[in-house]
Amino acid sequence: MLMKTRSVFVCQECGHRSLKWLGKCPSCGGWGTFVEEPELNQDSSSPQTKAYEPVPLAESVPSSVERLRSGISEFDRVMGGGIVPGSVTVIGGDPGVGKSTLMLQLCARFAEKKPLYVTGEESLEQLRYRAKRLEIESQGIFGLTEQTIEHITATIEQYTPGLVVIDSIQTLYSSELESLPGSIGQVRYCADQLVRLAKRTGVPIVLVGHVTKEGMLAGPKVLEHMVDVVIQFEGEGNYAYRILRAIKNRYGSTNEIGIFEMGTKGLVEVRNPSALFLTTRTRPETGVAVAATIEGSRALLVEIQALVVSSGYGMSQRVATGFDTKRLQMLLAVLERHLGLDFLHCDVFLNVAGGFRIDDPGADLAVCAALVSSLQNRPVMDRTVAIGEVSLTGELRQVAGMEQRLKEASKLGFETIVMPPGGSQWSAQGELVVHSVSHLGEAIALLVQ
Ligand code: TYD
Ligand code: MG
């Protein structure tokens, strides 16, 4: 039998054990590496550990897992199709981004499964007030204000709710450990207890986690290794939209994103995200081009804005928002070398509209078109989407997900596509006119009029 006797401190770097906390590890010399852990001792009277019989993998093909679909499709998709029973998920995000709101809305969708919302941060009154604001039928949702892990696990065992939300993991603590709630040792111990409980009972648990300044989940990444799914809820400054991203998913892809808008009655799913990132223009403007990017399984149209102005006598600047500055510099170099354009004495500003971040080489051509358009003060062809990766030699390269990109462009009423060779097979997409060109120079000649 395993019995807990006392806690020990273990160096996270080398595994050195000590009965008291040490600032510096005498073994590896690391500073601040000691974390408290409960020490488990083998009871001397226990019989010798019995061997288990290993199971041949071929015989244990699991049946496809039944997922709990919330019906909030932006959430379900990021989760890989829904919540897997017995899974543990961490949702991280800055304070105020809307984690508690999303979790309460999630509970409401599973009201018939008697979900349990454990809050260590807010009072039940605050929870009720939020439910009222969200116009949630809170019947069926159970609340608990508790911070001790032992009480929480006992409650879950007894009531076996269909879903448990812990808001937040940093507020939990075990009286077995001396360290403060929120410390690495506490977070890890409490999360470990919950992971074991979820696996044993099949109750899915979602842990809300705060993100530290460095952008990491508190408890330096320890949580990420322990749980099945890690999702991140992000917001951009003053914009109302929120993006849900999967960072780790044992049951699905990590490419998917979910887009929500924070309204007066909680989070609303954004079904047509392209509309959010395209500004409404009545006539073509200079320095603006539209890119079609891929986020997970979906295409998204985004507007790229460039401003190229003379830098006078000072050092010229290259400033990119929502786009990698190094990639911008590379594209400027390609434009200079292969198209003979001179950006040397210009300040270049690049912005992705709506505060969106692009990390897709398929947007290269649109970026180049916006830059040339601003430099030459000539607009980009109206109702046109530019797609393609630009190589150092000035060639245009195909990118993945072409069909989805074109479908999205067609859906939003765009008429022309300029893209790399191999486009003939896509020209049947709706009413789109597709220009397939192999060199950046040809593409820019078509795009910038
Ligand atoms: P909250 O879910 O408490 O964020 P977190 O748990 O991530 O800290 O939401 C915080 C913000 O959202 C808060 O500033 C108020 C705002 N909000 C709305 O705009 N509309 C709503 O319907 C709700 C419930 C909150
Ligand atoms: Mg909260």
Side-chain angles (χ1 to χ4, degrees):
M1 204 179 94
L2 291 173
M3 268 175 46
K4 187 182 157 298
T5 52
R6 57 169 182 249
S7 59
V8 288
F9 294 85
V10 181
C11 172
Q12 297 300 292
E13 296 294 330
C14 69
H16 186 91
R17 298 166 86 80
S18 163
L19 286 180
K20 56 185 201 316
W21 189 82
L22 300 172
K24 186 184 177 191
C25 176
S27 179
C28 71
W31 286 95
T33 53
F34 278 87
V35 166
E36 190 183 19
E37 281 181 5
E39 185 165 61
L40 300 168
N41 271 354
Q42 284 263 323
D43 190 329
S44 54
S45 63
S46 68
Q48 219 188 1
T49 314
K50 268 196 286 180
Y52 287 125
E53 198 171 326
V55 186
L57 275 187
E59 284 176 21
S60 57
V61 179
S63 55
S64 64
V65 274
E66 181 85 16
R67 290 172 189 260
L68 308 175
R69 285 180 191 280
S70 67
I72 306 173
S73 60
E74 296 296 304
F75 175 82
D76 289 343
R77 197 180 48 251
V78 172
M79 293 296 289
I83 303 176
V84 173
S87 67
V88 178
T89 302
V90 170
I91 174 166
D94 287 329
V97 73
K99 300 180 296 295
S100 304
T101 306
L102 182 64
M103 288 303 107
L104 196 56
Q105 287 181 278
L106 186 70
C107 285
R109 295 299 183 111
F110 291 115
E112 82 289 356
K113 291 187 182 296
K114 304 215 178 314
L116 175 66
Y117 197 114
V118 182
T119 170
E121 299 203 334
E122 295 168 309
S123 65
L124 283 182
E125 258 328 293
Q126 283 171 302
L127 212 56
R128 279 198 196 103
Y129 172 77
R130 186 179 287 123
K132 204 168 149 200
R133 178 171 178 183
L134 298 172
E135 294 179 0
I136 279 176
E137 189 62 62
S138 45
Q139 233 151 30
I141 306 177
F142 288 78
L144 178 70
T145 348
E146 185 52 62
Q147 296 187 326
T148 45
I149 185 70
E150 288 78 14
H151 285 128
I152 293 169
T153 48
T155 310
I156 297 172
E157 295 242 34
Q158 186 168 343
Y159 292 95
T160 53
L163 172 73
V164 175
V165 171
I166 309 276
D167 191 358
S168 67
I169 183 71
Q170 274 98 357
T171 56
L172 300 195
Y173 70 92
S174 166
S175 46
E176 307 280 332
L177 300 182
E178 282 160 23
S179 44
L180 292 169
S183 66
I184 301 173
Q186 288 282 11
V187 166
R188 194 164 62 170
Y189 179 76
C190 294
D192 183 54
Q193 297 295 305
L194 292 166
V195 169
R196 284 164 198 266
L197 180 68
K199 302 295 164 211
R200 196 168 67 240
T201 57
V203 174
I205 302 180
V206 185
L207 311 173
V208 175
H210 292 296
V211 171
T212 58
K213 276 217 178 72
E214 293 75 36
M216 291 203 297
L217 290 171
K221 296 259 177 195
V222 287
L223 276 181
E224 292 195 17
H225 297 291
M226 298 168 69
V227 301
D228 304 301
V229 183
V230 178
I231 52 178
Q232 181 83 13
F233 207 26
E234 299 168 1
E236 282 286 342
N238 299 323
Y239 297 100
Y241 74 87
R242 305 277 185 267
I243 296 182
L244 195 64
R245 278 177 208 281
I247 294 172
K248 161 181 175 174
N249 193 345
R250 285 186 180 149
Y251 314 111
S253 145
T254 50
N255 294 324
E256 296 293 350
I257 63 166
I259 304 181
F260 296 88
E261 214 166 343
M262 181 62 99
T264 49
K265 288 178 193 163
L267 293 154
V268 184
E269 291 179 71
V270 176
R271 296 289 170 98
N272 185 4
S274 294
L276 201 66
F277 301 111
L278 291 176
T279 54
T280 41
R281 282 177 291 138
T282 45
R283 59 189 172 81
E285 285 166 33
T286 59
V288 179
V290 177
T293 73
I294 292 281
E295 284 288 344
S297 60
R298 280 190 309 183
L300 206 65
L301 297 192
V302 279
E303 195 176 273
I304 312 281
Q305 305 163 349
L307 182 63
V308 180
V309 288
S310 162
S311 51
Y313 295 105
M315 274 273 285
S316 53
Q317 298 186 66
R318 274 90 179 91
V319 182
T321 314
F323 192 79
D324 182 34
T325 311
K326 287 215 172 68
R327 186 123 198 127
L328 168 65
Q329 283 168 338
M330 182 212 105
L331 294 173
L332 288 168
V334 174
L335 287 169
E336 291 201 21
R337 166 61 73 90
H338 297 287
L339 273 71
L341 298 168
D342 186 10
F343 289 93
L344 194 62
H345 305 290
C346 299
D347 286 341
V348 176
F349 302 94
L350 192 81
N351 182 35
V352 178
F356 196 70
R357 246 186 310 129
I358 296 186
D359 196 16
D360 172 4
D364 286 354
L365 182 57
V367 170
C368 288
L371 291 169
V372 177
S373 164
S374 179
L375 177 76
Q376 301 184 336
N377 205 19
R378 294 188 294 160
V380 172
M381 197 180 356
D382 201 18
R383 311 224 60 78
T384 301
V385 177
I387 309 169
E389 179 179 354
V390 172
S391 75
L392 288 177
T393 58
E395 306 295 323
L396 280 189
R397 290 229 191 96
Q398 275 288 352
V399 281
M402 219 57 205
E403 190 175 355
Q404 282 146 290
R405 297 180 204 241
L406 267 68
K407 272 194 180 139
E408 185 72 8
S410 171
K411 198 173 92 188
L412 283 152
F414 283 81
E415 291 156 9
T416 316
I417 302 286
V418 178
M419 59 177 280
S424 53
Q425 53 184 322
W426 310 120
S427 49
Q429 294 286 337
E431 302 291 298
L432 288 176
V433 176
V434 178
H435 296 282
S436 290
V437 289
S438 55
H439 197 271
L440 178 62
E442 298 168 66
I444 293 294
L446 273 167
L447 283 164
V448 183
Q449 302 186 318

Short mmCIF file of all heavy atoms in Angstrom, two decimals, residues 95-96 98-101 117 121-122 130 167 208 210, ligand 2:
data_model
loop_
_atom_site.label_atom_id
_atom_site.label_comp_id
_atom_site.label_asym_id
_atom_site.label_seq_id
_atom_site.Cartn_x
_atom_site.Cartn_y
_atom_site.Cartn_z
N PRO A 95 -5.97 37.73 -18.12
CA PRO A 95 -7.14 38.09 -17.33
C PRO A 95 -8.08 38.99 -18.15
O PRO A 95 -7.60 39.87 -18.87
CB PRO A 95 -6.56 38.88 -16.15
CG PRO A 95 -5.12 38.51 -16.09
CD PRO A 95 -4.72 38.15 -17.47
N GLY A 96 -9.35 38.74 -18.08
CA GLY A 96 -10.32 39.60 -18.76
C GLY A 96 -10.60 39.22 -20.19
O GLY A 96 -11.44 39.82 -20.85
N GLY A 98 -11.99 36.51 -21.25
CA GLY A 98 -13.32 35.89 -21.36
C GLY A 98 -13.33 34.40 -21.07
O GLY A 98 -14.25 33.69 -21.48
N LYS A 99 -12.35 33.91 -20.31
CA LYS A 99 -12.28 32.47 -20.03
C LYS A 99 -13.47 32.01 -19.19
O LYS A 99 -14.13 31.03 -19.53
CB LYS A 99 -10.98 32.14 -19.27
CG LYS A 99 -9.71 32.49 -20.02
CD LYS A 99 -8.48 32.15 -19.22
CE LYS A 99 -8.32 32.94 -17.93
NZ LYS A 99 -8.13 34.39 -18.10
N SER A 100 -13.77 32.77 -18.13
CA SER A 100 -14.88 32.38 -17.26
C SER A 100 -16.20 32.45 -18.02
O SER A 100 -17.09 31.62 -17.83
CB SER A 100 -14.94 33.28 -16.03
OG SER A 100 -13.71 33.25 -15.36
N THR A 101 -16.31 33.45 -18.88
CA THR A 101 -17.54 33.61 -19.67
C THR A 101 -17.73 32.40 -20.59
O THR A 101 -18.81 31.81 -20.63
CB THR A 101 -17.46 34.90 -20.51
OG1 THR A 101 -17.17 35.98 -19.63
CG2 THR A 101 -18.74 35.17 -21.26
N TYR A 117 -19.39 23.79 -11.69
CA TYR A 117 -18.47 24.92 -11.89
C TYR A 117 -17.83 25.23 -10.54
O TYR A 117 -18.49 25.73 -9.63
CB TYR A 117 -19.25 26.14 -12.42
CG TYR A 117 -18.36 27.20 -13.03
CD1 TYR A 117 -18.42 27.49 -14.38
CD2 TYR A 117 -17.48 27.93 -12.24
CE1 TYR A 117 -17.62 28.47 -14.94
CE2 TYR A 117 -16.66 28.90 -12.79
CZ TYR A 117 -16.73 29.17 -14.14
OH TYR A 117 -15.93 30.13 -14.70
N GLU A 121 -12.05 31.79 -7.41
CA GLU A 121 -11.73 33.21 -7.61
C GLU A 121 -12.90 34.11 -7.30
O GLU A 121 -12.74 35.22 -6.84
CB GLU A 121 -11.32 33.45 -9.06
CG GLU A 121 -10.12 32.66 -9.44
CD GLU A 121 -9.37 33.24 -10.61
OE1 GLU A 121 -10.01 33.94 -11.43
OE2 GLU A 121 -8.16 33.00 -10.69
N GLU A 122 -14.09 33.64 -7.64
CA GLU A 122 -15.26 34.49 -7.51
C GLU A 122 -16.25 33.85 -6.54
O GLU A 122 -16.16 32.67 -6.24
CB GLU A 122 -15.92 34.67 -8.88
CG GLU A 122 -15.04 35.42 -9.85
CD GLU A 122 -15.56 35.35 -11.28
OE1 GLU A 122 -15.83 34.24 -11.77
OE2 GLU A 122 -15.70 36.41 -11.89
N ARG A 130 -23.18 36.59 -13.53
CA ARG A 130 -22.70 36.40 -14.90
C ARG A 130 -23.70 35.56 -15.70
O ARG A 130 -24.00 35.87 -16.85
CB ARG A 130 -21.33 35.75 -14.90
CG ARG A 130 -20.77 35.68 -16.32
CD ARG A 130 -19.39 35.07 -16.41
NE ARG A 130 -18.34 35.92 -15.90
CZ ARG A 130 -17.50 35.57 -14.95
NH1 ARG A 130 -17.62 34.38 -14.39
NH2 ARG A 130 -16.57 36.39 -14.54
N ASP A 167 -12.10 26.91 -11.97
CA ASP A 167 -11.74 28.30 -12.31
C ASP A 167 -11.12 28.96 -11.07
O ASP A 167 -11.82 29.45 -10.21
CB ASP A 167 -13.00 29.04 -12.76
CG ASP A 167 -12.69 30.39 -13.39
OD1 ASP A 167 -11.51 30.76 -13.44
OD2 ASP A 167 -13.64 31.07 -13.80
N VAL A 208 -9.12 26.18 -15.83
CA VAL A 208 -8.80 27.52 -16.31
C VAL A 208 -7.44 27.88 -15.74
O VAL A 208 -7.17 27.64 -14.56
CB VAL A 208 -9.87 28.54 -15.84
CG1 VAL A 208 -9.48 29.95 -16.24
CG2 VAL A 208 -11.24 28.18 -16.41
N HIS A 210 -4.17 30.86 -15.63
CA HIS A 210 -3.75 32.21 -16.00
C HIS A 210 -2.46 32.14 -16.78
O HIS A 210 -1.66 31.26 -16.59
CB HIS A 210 -3.52 33.05 -14.74
CG HIS A 210 -4.79 33.32 -14.04
ND1 HIS A 210 -5.78 34.05 -14.60
CD2 HIS A 210 -5.23 32.90 -12.84
CE1 HIS A 210 -6.78 34.10 -13.75
NE2 HIS A 210 -6.49 33.40 -12.68
MG MG B 2 -12.21 34.50 -14.76
#
